[in-house]
Amino acid sequence: MKLDIEIIKSEAEELLSSAVESRSLAGWHSKYLGKKGILRTLTADVSGLSIEEKKELGRKVNELKSFLEELYAESVSSVTSIKKDKPLENFYKTLPGKKPEIGHLHLITQAIREINEVFSKLGFIRVRYPEVEWDYYSFEALNMPKTHPARDEWETFFIDLPEDPKLGKVVITPHTSNGQIREMLKGQLPIRMLNISRCGRRQSDINHVPTFYQFEGLVVDKNISITHLKGVLEYLIYNFFGEETKFRLRPYDFRFTEPSFEVDVSCGICGGKGCRFCKEGWVELGGAGMVHPNVLRAGGIDPETYSGFAFGWGVERVLMMRTGLKIDDIRYLFENNLKFLEQF
Ligand code: FA5
């Protein structure tokens, strides 16, 4: 045993000096002093020893333990002082410090906040409805029965989950219009809703991404007309883009609004001259229209007494049309490339 302990001591000393250099003191500690370390193994099996031999072993192991612990403590303090001393050599108290870099909100978050602010001035209340949704709210209650071909336009992602007999399949909602029905079913009239959330469609090119944000406005009250719709859209466009921006309503065919429109603004990238993003000077921001009577009925509202308008626009497109930003590929917004994001 004498021999063993002396060998352990000298090996430990030798190993420790190289551990100090490579800063791997933790490895050395677990080898000698750890739970499964050498020190523990020395006293693991004492069954064949007499009482005297056990006492002798105990004394030697304790001595070895103190030796190893002292050795370790010395080495730790020498490493710490190396760490502490080095930077002090070049430390000038009066030099200005290095400022930590501060990031900023993502462009899309900034746009969502601004859009919310514009609408809150008109009394719209921000809500959020499920992004993983039943077919019923995203399609069926919006006047698009199960086999209706209009559904194709929404290039929907279906989730592999059991179907509900009434609500149908589970989808990633392809638009925020699911919020129209959910809001109406709350049974609180009049309605001035702003629903901003993520949507999904199987699309990807310079002006489409598979996951994007939409904001949906819904107003339901007595005597709501198309003039109110146009006034609200104009308010948004002038506040967000400035009064020099031109916009137009193009007749369209959404199943959940009648009449329906698509809303275009003059392209903020090329100033309406035509570029690789807009092609002809106009960019579609979203759809709008007067809420279809069938949709009001599905929301439990009597279309003989109430009318309403709705609109659903893409947050990213609105952001990109801001004069001066000149972002001509929507996918840049989702790449998380700091060189791109730090510009804004
Ligand atoms: C709709 O989604 C309708 N729900 C809008 C609506 C609401 C009409 C209420 C009437 C009443 P559309 O499929 O055109 O409409 O999409 C609206 C906008 O969402 C588009 O103009 C575009 O700005 C944005 N958008 C649609 N798909 C994508 C996509 N894959 N990537 C980025 N933005 C998209």
Side-chain angles (χ1 to χ4, degrees):
M1 186 52 65
K2 184 172 192 320
L3 186 66
D4 276 353
I5 286 182
E6 286 314 314
I7 290 173
I8 291 169
K9 275 184 176 177
S10 69
E11 264 184 2
E13 242 172 336
E14 203 177 306
L15 254 180
L16 193 60
S17 52
S18 59
V20 170
E21 267 159 35
S22 64
R23 309 274 163 92
S24 60
L25 285 174
W28 183 94
H29 187 272
S30 83
K31 178 170 179 178
Y32 288 97
L33 294 164
K35 272 188 186 166
K36 291 183 183 161
I38 288 175
L39 201 68
R40 290 280 174 101
T41 59
L42 292 176
T43 48
D45 186 10
V46 291
S47 50
L49 301 181
S50 67
I51 294 183
E52 277 314 304
E53 282 170 333
K54 278 184 195 167
K55 273 190 188 165
E56 176 65 5
L57 178 66
R59 197 183 54 74
K60 284 188 172 161
V61 167
N62 279 340
E63 191 194 286
L64 177 63
K65 189 174 175 222
S66 314
F67 173 80
L68 292 173
E69 280 174 344
E70 258 176 53
L71 207 60
Y72 180 70
E74 266 173 37
S75 305
V76 168
S77 71
S78 79
V79 168
T80 323
S81 69
I82 291 170
K83 276 189 189 162
K84 273 188 195 153
D85 290 352
K86 268 268 154 101
L88 284 177
E89 281 171 18
N90 300 320
F91 181 73
Y92 299 101
K93 269 199 269 182
T94 51
L95 271 182
K98 239 190 173 181
K99 277 195 185 154
E101 289 188 34
I102 296 174
H104 60 73
L105 292 175
H106 192 278
L107 277 177
I108 297 177
T109 312
Q110 292 178 30
I112 288 175
R113 291 193 177 185
E114 264 187 68
I115 291 164
N116 187 27
E117 215 174 288
V118 171
F119 282 107
S120 69
K121 288 186 187 139
L122 296 177
F124 282 74
I125 311 272
R126 166 106 192 253
V127 293
R128 283 190 81 163
Y129 288 117
E131 292 165 2
V132 177
E133 181 58 292
W134 295 105
D135 174 302
Y136 178 79
Y137 296 102
S138 290
F139 293 109
E140 190 125 13
L142 291 172
N143 206 24
M144 287 187 274
K146 283 216 166 50
T147 52
H148 201 283
R151 288 174 169 232
D152 282 357
E153 265 192 53
W154 275 273
E155 305 199 37
T156 311
F157 292 113
F158 288 87
I159 309 264
D160 199 5
L161 279 173
E163 227 175 296
D164 179 272
K166 179 170 182 290
L167 304 171
K169 294 187 173 159
V170 181
V171 299
I172 293 186
T173 194
H175 56 176
T176 39
S177 300
N178 62 325
Q180 291 189 27
I181 300 296
R182 288 193 175 266
E183 181 73 17
M184 290 182 206
L185 288 174
K186 280 187 191 163
Q188 291 161 4
L189 286 162
I191 292 171
R192 259 184 235 175
M193 170 201 88
L194 181 70
N195 175 29
I196 310 183
S197 84
R198 255 182 321 189
C199 306
R201 294 188 198 179
R202 199 176 168 278
Q203 299 171 331
S204 179
D205 56 43
I206 68 169
N207 46 27
H208 295 90
V209 271
T211 303
F212 56 100
Y213 285 85
Q214 277 191 349
F215 59 98
E216 183 98 5
L218 172 71
V219 170
V220 180
D221 204 344
K222 289 179 180 155
N223 303 317
I224 294 292
S225 74
I226 219 162
T227 330
H228 297 114
L229 167 62
K230 204 167 165 228
V232 167
L233 297 183
E234 196 173 89
Y235 183 82
L236 169 68
I237 290 167
Y238 290 166
N239 274 278
F240 199 86
F241 302 111
E243 293 198 9
E244 69 288 351
T245 303
K246 293 192 202 109
F247 76 100
R248 66 181 186 190
L249 301 184
R250 252 184 310 112
Y252 198 71
D253 177 28
F254 290 109
R255 289 280 301 170
F256 34 94
T257 44
E258 181 57 41
S260 304
F261 310 97
E262 281 201 320
V263 187
D264 301 334
V265 293
S266 51
C267 178
I269 298 166
C270 60
K273 292 189 199 92
C275 64
R276 80 175 190 126
F277 186 77
C278 68
K279 306 221 163 51
E280 290 167 351
W282 292 98
V283 174
E284 172 207 314
L285 293 187
M290 301 305 292
V291 182
H292 196 288
N294 286 350
V295 176
L296 288 171
R297 276 188 212 103
I301 294 171
D302 178 8
E304 299 300 324
T305 317
Y306 287 94
S307 54
F309 67 77
F311 53 88
W313 292 17
V315 170
E316 297 80 9
R317 295 256 186 104
V318 167
L319 170 68
M320 291 165 80
M321 285 307 105
R322 247 204 168 151
T323 326
L325 283 190
K326 306 228 182 280
I327 303 169
D328 62 359
D329 189 327
I330 195 170
R331 290 167 296 192
Y332 293 145
L333 292 168
F334 292 89
E335 282 171 355
N336 283 337
N337 179 347
L338 281 183
K339 284 195 178 133
F340 169 77
L341 293 172
E342 278 167 354
Q343 298 174 70
F344 305 100

